[in-house]
């Protein structure tokens, strides 16, 4: 049990709070189908997740079809807004974590587009659980850049020493370290555990229940 108390908990979204990869893969393949391009395996698409929708679609479309990238973005938006809460759910135990920390402020800091993030939060009826949602305004702000974390700290009026960033990937740990806040890595998401561990996060949790009482 730690004696340090986090006043604000920043959460990554995909791979930390929610398991969204099947809906993402479905929407990517519907996009590729509409463009007449080769469908990809779910596992391949899963490996593209984590650095924002633009990189996801650029990799999914492929370098040889880069001329169709802008069209892919447009088509994907329609499909993903339709399918984004078809199978996407909070990881088992996350609902309990969010309610356990009901006396703290909680924010989502994600590389996912704001439109998609808010649509999923609404679809999961979780609007009242978060005080703030921070998403990239352009690709230069994507984690591991600390821009979104710093903006969230400022918006909430919180000192970096009072916050923790919880996420599954090296992007989350590196962004936290660059912003001067504590980091907590989780081992159940999409990230590479060895690469995350090599960054020496302040905390590590194998399962959502391990987050209970940690901060």
């Amino acid at each position: 049990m730690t004696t340090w108390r986090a006043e604000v908990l920043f959460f990554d979204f995909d791979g930390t709070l929610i398991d969204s990869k099947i809906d993402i893969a479905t929407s990517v393949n519907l996009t590729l189908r509409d463009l007449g391009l080769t469908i990809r395996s779910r596992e391949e698409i899963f490996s593209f997740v984590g650095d924002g929708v633009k990189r996801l679609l650029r990799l999914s479309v492929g370098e040889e079809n880069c001329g169709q990238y802008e069209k892919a973005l447009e088509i994907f938006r329609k499909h993903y807004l339709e399918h984004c809460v078809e199978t996407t759910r909070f990881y088992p135990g996350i609902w309990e974590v969010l309610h356990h920390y009901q006396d703290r402020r909680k924010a989502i800091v994600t590389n996912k587009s704001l439109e998609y993030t808010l649509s999923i939060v609404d679809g999961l009826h979780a609007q009242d659980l978060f005080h703030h949602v921070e998403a990239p305004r352009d690709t230069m702000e994507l984690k591991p850049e600390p821009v979104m974390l710093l903006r969230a700290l400022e918006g909430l009026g919180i000192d970096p020493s009072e916050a923790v960033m919880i996420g599954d990937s090296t992007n989350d740990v590196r962004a936290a370290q660059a912003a001067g806040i504590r980091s907590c890595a989780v081992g159940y998401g999409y990230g590479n555990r060895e690469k995350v561990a090599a960054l020496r996060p302040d905390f590590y949790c194998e399962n959502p229940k391990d987050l209970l009482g940690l901060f």
Side-chain angles (χ1 to χ4, degrees):
M1 186 70 69
T2 180
T3 57
W4 175 73
R5 174 185 167 94
E7 295 302 328
V8 171
L9 279 62
F10 292 129
F11 291 93
D12 173 52
F13 203 41
D14 300 88
T16 300
L17 290 177
I18 60 169
D19 187 355
S20 54
K21 57 184 186 291
I22 291 177
D23 287 343
I24 291 172
T26 295
S27 301
V28 166
N29 274 332
L30 287 171
T31 301
L32 296 176
R33 180 204 65 186
D34 289 356
L35 291 169
L37 301 177
T38 304
I39 300 301
R40 294 185 182 271
S41 70
R42 281 181 173 177
E43 289 68 28
E44 189 176 17
I45 296 170
F46 296 165
S47 73
F48 300 158
V49 174
D51 292 309
V53 67
K54 292 185 176 181
R55 181 175 183 273
L56 166 70
L57 288 176
R58 192 173 288 111
L59 292 172
S60 298
V61 168
E63 200 67 42
E64 68 278 13
N65 301 303
C66 61
Q68 300 203 61
Y69 165 68
E70 293 296 335
K71 187 68 175 174
L73 276 174
E74 179 185 329
I75 295 172
F76 176 82
R77 178 181 180 274
K78 175 178 73 73
H79 285 307
Y80 193 48
L81 287 174
E82 182 178 343
H83 296 284
C84 66
V85 285
E86 206 162 86
T87 66
T88 293
R89 298 291 182 271
F90 284 122
Y91 280 103
I94 286 294
W95 196 262
E96 290 78 5
V97 169
L98 295 173
H99 283 279
H100 174 81
Y101 288 107
Q102 61 186 343
D103 63 330
R104 321 292 177 85
R105 282 185 284 178
K106 296 174 290 295
I108 294 169
V109 181
T110 179
N111 280 350
K112 199 181 198 76
S113 298
L114 182 63
E115 180 181 30
Y116 303 144
T117 301
L118 293 179
S119 183
I120 292 170
V121 169
D122 288 349
L124 295 177
H125 308 292
Q127 305 95 316
D128 295 337
L129 296 178
F130 300 101
H131 296 80
H132 189 79
V133 177
E134 196 67 59
R137 297 176 185 176
D138 60 58
T139 55
M140 301 296 289
E141 294 189 351
L142 294 172
K143 294 174 290 182
E145 293 300 320
V147 177
M148 291 188 289
L149 279 172
L150 295 172
R151 190 162 60 224
L153 286 169
E154 183 178 2
L156 292 168
I158 288 293
D159 187 84
S161 65
E162 300 177 296
V164 61
M165 175 70 209
I166 303 160
D168 66 311
S169 77
T170 57
N171 284 341
D172 300 306
V173 177
R174 289 169 62 197
Q177 292 171 343
I181 72 174
R182 288 171 170 85
S183 59
C184 177
V186 300
Y188 54 82
Y190 309 154
N192 182 300
R193 295 184 185 193
E194 290 72 25
K195 290 182 179 179
V196 170
L199 294 175
R200 298 188 176 182
D202 298 285
F203 304 94
Y204 179 84
C205 293
E206 192 62 45
N207 300 294
K209 65 179 176 60
D210 297 333
L211 291 163
L212 297 172
L214 188 60
F215 316 115

